[in-house]
Amino acid sequence: MMTPDMTSMERRAGVVQALRKAGAVGVSGETLAHQLGISRAAVGKHVSALRECGYLITSTPGVGYTLKRVPNLPLPFEVYPLLHEPDCDLYGGAETGSTNDDAKALAAQGAPDKSVVLAGRQLAGRGRLGREWVSPEGGLYLSFVLRPQASIAQMASLSLIIGLGVLRAVRRLGAKDVKLKWPNDVLMPNGKLCGILLEMVAQMERVDAVIPGIGVNVNRSKGALENGAYLSDQLGELESARVAAVMIDSICGIYDEWRQEGCRFQPFAQEYVNDLSLVGDEVCVRRIDGTVEAEGVVRGIDGDGCLIVGDRHVLAGDVTLRVPEV
Ligand code: BTN
């Protein structure tokens, strides 16, 4: 996994920017070296690293380097310049097993609050309740290392807050008719757009770090999930780096708001309920072991983030629509 060596990330971003600017004309290694204040050998190293990430860069005597193709991946040096509040460290960007596993490893090594692992494909993606999260190309997979000063009880609300952050982000990108399915799925009319898995790194009673992992379906490309909704269904093909930047800005933003509000859910409850799906519907909420926790009509959400089903306030569970018996 790529380390966030900021100078190298900024230089790499600089090389890409200069190559983009030069377009079909191309730019010599000497000019690049001069513009970026680095040696020609260093330029050569950055170009090789970019090629390894999937950039097609030709090199022609007398012309120099020409950028022919850019991979659609959330690479840190593409994402970082697009952030409004660049107060986070970015890792990864191409392919990995699971960004949640990578983020947990980083947390164990002492990575600071707001470290983010990105990927355009996962080979061992994990979902809630021990399920697999199939993670083909065309998706965006990202996990945060967060270190809030909050109790374990307050962490349950963080999971809802992250869902709200994702919802704000996809709206900002222009998506319409997006809803939250409690506790933290994001839906479009044609299916599930995003899933969130919140894990903790704890020692004894103390929470060291929280790892929210987010999988968003961005571009419906080859190998896409048939029953999933994709942002591209509404918005056409999107640049993964831009989606990642909007997502990171939004999540870091709402995380800061949540901390300023004393890590409470209550100040966000109205916004959450405005976009809550299934209000007025008959549902069944099941526990992890499949047994029924509550059945009845969804009436909303309370100040602690519990789903109100009939007269019960449910803290956790899996919600399904109740199909009337015939
Ligand atoms: C769900 O079951 O709905 C939650 C899915 C969460 C998937 C994301 S993708 C990024 C991160 N890495 C993982 O292995 N899982 C989460």
Side-chain angles (χ1 to χ4, degrees), residues 161-220:
I161 293 297
I162 300 290
L164 204 50
V166 171
L167 183 91
R168 287 183 182 178
V170 296
R171 290 245 170 89
R172 219 168 277 168
L173 287 161
K176 301 263 184 301
D177 301 324
V178 206
K179 288 269 176 201
L180 289 162
K181 180 178 170 234
W182 184 90
N184 51 20
D185 286 350
V186 181
L187 311 176
M188 289 211 306
N190 59 333
K192 178 161 160 174
L193 175 70
C194 162
I196 296 166
L197 171 69
L198 195 106
E199 297 184 298
M200 283 185 204
V201 180
Q203 279 174 29
M204 308 293 281
E205 298 290 285
R206 214 185 100 237
V207 178
D208 251 10
V210 197
I211 314 290
I214 301 156
V216 194
N217 300 330
V218 179
N219 292 313
R220 192 179 283 282

Side-chain angles (χ1 to χ4, degrees), residues 223-234:
L225 309 163
E226 270 172 31
N227 54 359
Y230 280 77
L231 283 174
S232 63
D233 298 342
Q234 284 192 13

Side-chain angles (χ1 to χ4, degrees), residues 98-100 122 124-128 133 141-143 185 192 195-197 213-215:
S98 156
T99 54
N100 261 40
Q122 292 184 125
R126 295 185 289 105
R128 291 177 63 224
W133 184 258
Y141 311 100
L142 69 166
S143 301
D185 286 350
K192 178 161 160 174
I196 296 166
L197 171 69
I214 301 156

Side-chain angles (χ1 to χ4, degrees), residues 274-321:
N274 288 345
D275 295 312
L276 181 62
S277 73
L278 302 179
V279 175
D281 289 337
E282 278 270 330
V283 300
C284 177
V285 187
R286 290 179 191 279
R287 302 183 189 97
I288 288 186
D289 64 5
T291 54
V292 175
E293 167 84 29
E295 277 181 315
V297 175
V298 174
R299 296 199 293 122
I301 196 143
D302 70 17
D304 293 325
C306 294
L307 189 70
I308 309 171
V309 181
D311 56 7
R312 303 273 312 275
H313 290 228
V314 183
L315 185 60
D318 218 25
V319 184
T320 46
L321 255 182

Side-chain angles (χ1 to χ4, degrees), residues 2 58 77 174 218 277 283 325:
M2 190 173 158
T58 56
F77 49 86
V218 179
S277 73
V283 300
E325 284 174 26

